[in-house]
Amino acid sequence: MAVKIKLKRLGKIRSPHYRIVVADSRTRRDGRAIEEIGKYHPTYNPSVMEVDGERVAYWLGVGAQPTEAVLAILKKTGDWQKFKGEPAPAPLLQQAEKAGRPLFEALGGEDEGKGEAITQKKKTEKKDEAPAESASTEA
């Protein structure tokens, strides 16, 4: 029986996330797995790659073959280099947070609420309410 380390797709239509699983090579993509050994969330910024290094080393040691996608993940996390005896890769770079707009308080803004709109409200004139009231009292 050939064993593969592959991705199992989960999630909604446009928000996928994956589990890194060990499964028989004949099973379907989202089918039954022998063991789950990690997670991969590509839609997060930066993407999340969590792998159980000990279990990966065990399965690679007994002959499990990773798919291309899983091999790329293992190379980024350093588990593939550890298995092959090569030097570890550079750590994953985290994106620096964008410098957003300066805070309102930093600009010297005051937090006093006026309670009214800035523009003046138009005054509506009430037309002849008195005659309407007198007509209703006459009836």
Side-chain angles (χ1 to χ4, degrees):
M1 174 173 75
V3 177
K4 290 222 175 238
I5 302 174
K6 57 186 178 178
L7 294 177
K8 178 180 181 180
R9 189 183 194 280
L10 302 168
K12 295 181 181 178
I13 291 175
R14 289 178 184 82
S15 62
H17 56 274
Y18 299 90
R19 299 290 163 108
I20 301 171
V21 297
V22 178
D24 181 11
S25 62
R26 296 171 289 184
T27 61
R28 59 182 189 260
R29 178 190 69 178
D30 301 336
R32 188 171 175 181
I34 298 170
E35 182 180 1
E36 290 184 1
I37 56 176
K39 298 185 220 178
Y40 175 52
H41 296 276
T43 56
Y44 292 174
N45 189 10
S47 60
V48 176
M49 292 180 265
E50 296 177 9
V51 179
D52 186 1
E54 294 176 7
R55 298 307 297 165
V56 169
Y58 168 77
W59 283 107
L60 290 173
V62 296
Q65 296 295 315
T67 60
E68 291 180 20
V70 173
L71 183 61
I73 292 171
L74 294 178
K75 285 183 179 179
K76 287 185 179 182
T77 59
D79 293 316
W80 182 254
Q81 287 86 346
K82 190 184 299 183
F83 173 70
K84 288 293 188 177
E86 299 172 358
L92 294 175
L93 299 176
Q94 301 291 331
Q95 285 185 343
E97 293 184 20
K98 294 181 181 179
R101 301 164 100 189
L103 296 175
F104 184 71
E105 294 83 23
L107 294 175
E110 298 177 13
D111 194 22
E112 298 176 11
K114 295 180 182 179
E116 296 181 19
I118 296 173
T119 57
Q120 297 293 327
K121 294 181 180 178
K122 294 182 179 179
K123 295 182 181 179
T124 57
E125 296 179 15
K126 297 185 179 183
K127 298 180 180 177
D128 302 325
E129 289 184 7
E133 290 177 6
S134 61
S136 62
T137 56
E138 294 174 5

